[in-house]
Amino acid sequence: MQKAHVSEAEKSLMADIGIEYAENIKKKSLPLDAAASELADRISSFISISVTEGGLSMADAKACAAAALEAGVSVLAREIVK
């Protein structure tokens, strides 16, 4: 298995993308499971493009996706707790 070489700055940028996607999804007032599913789909599409067109390795893609999902789901979950 290849080790990820994603910097903390890159993970932070991906987290920001996850937050932006979550903020947009939050406006739809979807249940958490549907909102999280849509968030995962959007991040997956973004990461796929980064792999195929940008040359991002699979290990780096997983690290970036994890950062984006963690940040995005946190935004969605906070909305439920309110």
Side-chain angles (χ1 to χ4, degrees), residues 48-56:
S48 294
I49 291 168
S50 297
V51 169
T52 57
E53 294 181 12
L56 189 65

Side-chain angles (χ1 to χ4, degrees), residues 23-35:
E23 291 292 342
N24 289 331
I25 292 167
K26 197 168 68 169
K27 294 174 186 172
K28 296 181 178 183
S29 299
L30 298 172
L32 180 58
D33 60 336

Side-chain angles (χ1 to χ4, degrees), residues 26-74:
K26 197 168 68 169
K27 294 174 186 172
K28 296 181 178 183
S29 299
L30 298 172
L32 180 58
D33 60 336
S37 179
E38 184 172 334
L39 176 67
D41 288 346
R42 287 187 186 188
I43 291 170
S44 176
S45 294
F46 181 85
I47 295 295
S48 294
I49 291 168
S50 297
V51 169
T52 57
E53 294 181 12
L56 189 65
S57 74
M58 290 305 293
D60 291 349
K62 289 177 185 178
C64 287
L69 279 170
E70 181 179 355
V73 169
S74 292

